[in-house]
Amino acid sequence: MKKNEMSVQSELRDSKKGRNRFSIVTASMLVISVAVLTSGCSGEKKEGESASPSAAASTTVPAALPDGKIVSSPLTLSYFVQLSTNRPSGMNSLNDMEAYKELEKITGIHADFKHPTAGQEANQFNLMLSSGDYPDVIEWNWNSYPGGGQNALKNGAIIKLNDYIDKYAPNLKKLLDANPEIRKQISTDSGEIYSFPFIRNDPYLLTYYGLTLRKDWLDKLKLEVPTTIEEWHTVLKAFKEKDPNGNGKPDEIPLLFQKGKMNWGNDILNAWGIRNDFYLDTATGKVQYGALQPQFKEFLTTMRSWFKEGLIDPDYAATDDKQKNAKVTGDLVGATEVTVGGGIGTYLAAMNGKHPTFDLVGAPYPTLKKGDKPALGQQEPIFNGLGAAISKNNKHIIETVKWLDYKYGEKGAMLFNFGIDGKSYTMDNGYPKYSDDVMKNKDGLAFGVALTKYAIPFGAPISQDKRYMEQNAALPQQKNALTTWMKADNRGWLPTLSLTADESSKLAAVMTDVRTYNDEMFDKFIMGAEPIESFDKFVDRLNKMGLQDVLKIEQAAYDRYLKR
């Protein structure tokens, strides 16, 4: 199945560990990070010392240049960055993207992109850092670096950008001055800025995922969109028993969640006000871990009951993306979790002309009590750790800062959110409308894939434009779903936190075992292989694994964040 932008964004988030600060850090990665720390100590800078005096002193930018021009003679910057697998055929480098071609014409700077091999990104990133042979620019999700961006600064791999932004990045500086919360999120606990960030600077851009149901099935059975767990049970039971697909067979799958979403997602668990990970208890201001809470036992009890009744796909644990898509487009699934583009958009397009009544509707995250506001829906942070950092080996820092800053200005933002005027978009009463080559690609390319030929408004060092999402989610079903999903409270989401190298190492060591055990026991509880009565033993073992020590680390990091 061709994927559109939202599935691209979802994959990007996973591959770069965008939101999940607790993803497993491999032993080799930790070893390499220690080596980097050791090699970087000799070059560690003292307070107030320039990040790279010789490099900064060597940069001379001519005063009188054409608009947007940064250098008077060609300059090449080496640039390490992952290349999305969801791109048009023949696009083997970001140099093939029209936005970067145009950026080179405007600024006079050429980017020599170094793309790691697909599937080997983390290994090649670590090998690059351990070698000390750094490119000029390193674009990465720095939350996945042991100790985060602040530790990469301490290790001497990348440089502090605060002074450079103040002097040479007027576009980003203006954005940060007008939005203190963005500055807070992209800074370390000590106030250092280490990258030019990917920013979602509008609430409309933070949510793109949630629950959906077959609206035509609901209409046929004269049912309303469920809002509570009790109403969900009623709807799913009707889907199972009343043959809504009309084929005379009891083959309907009332609810399908894939393994990762069933356990680590927040679609149903939200009703109990927790998540199966770290979250903020808004009543106390304390960081908690959901699996330790009594509400998690209640959730497991309900899911076990639904599974036993046949309301949950019995093969959920083994269902991959391809199998899920086949079940949905095979007219079998009544409800599932989706992205707004890769799910709703893709499924509606796939069934257009094949199934005359097929329709989807976004459902609110459920609650236990009618009328309550959902506690924790899906919401991305304004900054998820992804950014372009400047390495200590860069000999043209000022030029690089100006080049990266161009994307945050009006012209650069248009270029990287929408591409080329007259080709990938046209202006309609001041509104940039994507062209048919993007929206209705003649080769059948999905929106996100077709757009990648021209621009990259998702997962790049830019400020994302709301008007991009408005067109990516252009169908009424998509717009309504986004509006519905955005109504959760979401105060319980933790911001992106900074961990010290020692904290990161300790957390990784504990959470490797915790997550594995949690995952195993989840399936056993749901499928009945382990009685719910064993829940207390489950919690006791999690604590013995060191989860309470990790909670202290998370709490300390959150307390530091509040003081930024």
Side-chain angles (χ1 to χ4, degrees):
M1 179 192 74
K2 293 184 175 69
K3 302 175 182 176
N4 77 355
E5 189 277 322
M6 297 318 301
S7 61
V8 172
Q9 186 161 280
S10 179
E11 288 185 20
L12 186 63
R13 182 188 61 215
D14 293 338
S15 65
K16 295 186 177 182
K17 301 178 176 64
R19 185 163 184 83
N20 192 351
R21 293 170 294 101
F22 318 108
S23 48
I24 308 308
V25 181
T26 62
S28 61
M29 188 171 184
L30 290 173
V31 170
I32 290 170
S33 68
V34 172
V36 173
L37 179 60
T38 304
S39 64
C41 286
S42 62
E44 187 174 337
K45 298 158 190 64
K46 299 178 181 178
E47 182 67 24
E49 185 177 348
S50 171
S52 181
S54 60
S58 70
T59 55
T60 304
V61 183
L65 290 173
D67 183 34
K69 204 75 168 180
I70 295 175
V71 293
S72 56
S73 58
L75 172 65
T76 295
L77 299 173
S78 54
Y79 194 125
F80 180 93
V81 58
Q82 297 184 56
L83 186 62
S84 173
T85 56
N86 291 281
R87 60 185 190 273
S89 176
M91 184 177 180
N92 300 314
S93 167
L94 287 180
N95 283 131
D96 297 326
M97 182 182 289
E98 295 299 322
Y100 274 110
K101 291 179 183 178
E102 186 67 17
L103 182 63
E104 182 173 344
K105 293 177 185 177
I106 295 169
T107 64
I109 293 177
H110 173 75
D112 178 18
F113 288 109
K114 310 291 185 183
H115 299 301
T117 304
Q120 296 296 316
E121 293 91 348
N123 287 338
Q124 292 184 21
F125 172 79
N126 289 316
L127 288 171
M128 172 192 66
L129 290 185
S130 64
S131 72
D133 184 17
Y134 310 136
D136 295 313
V137 182
I138 305 172
E139 183 179 321
W140 193 249
N141 190 294
W142 296 96
N143 287 340
S144 65
Y145 182 89
Q150 64 183 12
N151 202 42
L153 283 172
K154 181 180 179 181
N155 292 347
I158 59 177
I159 66 170
K160 177 182 174 180
L161 297 174
N162 299 56
D163 291 342
Y164 290 107
I165 291 172
D166 286 343
K167 294 177 181 178
Y168 306 109
N171 297 313
L172 182 56
K173 176 176 168 52
K174 180 180 179 180
L175 178 65
L176 298 181
D177 288 346
N179 298 275
E181 183 60 29
I182 294 179
R183 180 181 290 274
K184 183 177 180 178
Q185 289 204 19
I186 71 170
S187 300
T188 67
D189 293 330
S190 57
E192 297 170 312
I193 298 175
Y194 55 86
S195 73
F196 281 78
F198 171 51
I199 298 171
R200 296 180 176 93
N201 191 24
D202 191 286
Y204 194 76
L205 299 169
L206 303 182
T207 297
Y208 55 82
Y209 163 92
L211 292 158
T212 189
L213 298 101
R214 285 287 297 273
K215 185 178 184 303
D216 51 324
W217 287 14
L218 291 173
D219 293 343
K220 181 177 181 179
L221 301 179
K222 294 180 171 53
L223 295 168
E224 299 293 327
V225 175
T227 62
T228 67
I229 290 297
E230 183 178 354
E231 289 174 354
W232 267 90
H233 181 261
T234 298
V235 166
L236 296 178
K237 191 171 176 62
F239 282 174
K240 176 177 174 57
E241 297 174 350
K242 297 185 178 181
D243 191 29
N245 67 9
N247 66 359
K249 302 176 183 178
D251 56 356
E252 287 85 357
I253 300 171
L255 178 63
L256 170 58
F257 280 135
Q258 289 173 271
K259 165 75 172 183
K261 297 292 190 265
M262 184 71 174
N263 189 10
W264 306 112
N266 206 41
D267 310 279
I268 300 295
L269 180 56
N270 158 86
W272 283 267
I274 63 174
R275 61 187 299 249
N276 191 12
D277 212 326
F278 297 96
Y279 69 99
L280 183 68
D281 184 333
T282 56
T284 64
K286 298 298 182 182
V287 178
Q288 302 288 356
Y289 188 78
L292 300 178
Q293 309 307 314
Q295 298 97 307
F296 193 62
K297 180 179 181 180
E298 296 173 14
F299 162 72
L300 290 173
T301 301
T302 300
M303 292 301 99
R304 168 59 189 149
S305 175
W306 287 9
F307 187 86
K308 189 174 181 180
E309 290 181 67
L311 306 184
I312 296 174
D313 186 352
D315 299 320
Y316 78 86
T319 299
D320 60 20
D321 288 339
K322 185 176 181 180
Q323 292 168 328
K324 174 184 174 179
N325 294 335
K327 291 177 181 180
V328 173
T329 57
D331 201 23
L332 298 176
V333 177
T336 188
E337 30 74 27
V338 293
T339 56
V340 69
I344 294 178
T346 297
Y347 291 143
L348 288 175
M351 301 302 284
N352 185 30
K354 298 179 180 178
H355 192 303
T357 64
F358 184 95
D359 199 6
L360 297 172
V361 60
Y365 285 88
T367 59
L368 295 179
K369 184 178 178 182
K370 188 75 171 178
D372 281 359
K373 189 172 187 177
L376 283 164
Q378 180 266 331
Q379 180 174 283
E380 291 294 301
I382 295 173
F383 171 62
N384 65 1
L386 176 66
I390 297 177
S391 83
K392 71 171 186 177
N393 291 353
N394 190 311
K395 302 301 182 185
H396 303 279
I397 297 175
I398 294 175
E399 291 92 338
T400 305
V401 168
K402 287 175 173 284
W403 182 72
L404 290 168
D405 182 61
Y406 185 85
K407 299 177 184 179
Y408 298 89
E410 182 178 355
K411 293 180 180 179
M414 287 295 297
L415 180 61
F416 279 85
N417 277 283
F418 300 101
I420 308 300
D421 190 0
K423 293 184 178 179
S424 56
Y425 77 96
T426 55
M427 296 302 293
D428 184 1
N429 292 322
Y431 190 96
K433 293 183 66 174
Y434 289 116
S435 66
D436 284 349
D437 194 34
V438 174
M439 301 297 292
K440 303 174 183 178
N441 185 268
K442 61 182 175 56
D443 296 323
L445 298 180
F447 171 86
V449 178
L451 181 55
T452 302
K453 175 183 176 182
Y454 298 101
I456 185 168
F458 34 86
I462 62 167
S463 180
Q464 195 176 56
D465 195 304
K466 176 183 178 180
R467 294 170 296 182
Y468 140 75
M469 178 60 78
E470 288 173 343
Q471 294 174 80
N472 180 50
L475 296 173
Q477 296 94 327
Q478 293 173 306
K479 292 182 180 295
N480 292 336
L482 279 181
T483 300
T484 298
W485 297 338
M486 288 172 61
K487 291 180 180 178
D489 183 278
N490 288 328
R491 288 178 299 158
W493 282 110
L494 285 167
T496 300
L497 304 178
S498 294
L499 304 179
T500 67
D502 183 57
E503 288 174 336
S504 181
S505 177
K506 290 179 179 177
L507 183 143
V510 171
M511 293 309 295
T512 299
D513 292 336
V514 164
R515 288 180 66 86
T516 299
Y517 177 63
N518 189 338
D519 215 31
E520 292 174 353
M521 290 301 294
F522 178 85
D523 288 334
K524 290 182 178 180
F525 282 132
I526 298 300
M527 297 179 182
E530 188 75 32
I532 296 295
E533 289 72 22
S534 298
F535 180 79
D536 290 344
K537 294 180 181 179
F538 165 70
V539 170
D540 184 57
R541 183 169 173 184
L542 287 175
N543 283 323
K544 287 179 179 178
M545 288 179 172
L547 196 46
Q548 290 300 322
D549 292 333
V550 172
L551 275 168
K552 292 177 181 177
I553 290 174
E554 288 291 312
Q555 186 67 52
Y558 179 65
D559 291 342
R560 293 195 301 267
Y561 173 84
L562 294 178
K563 296 176 181 177
R564 288 183 186 177

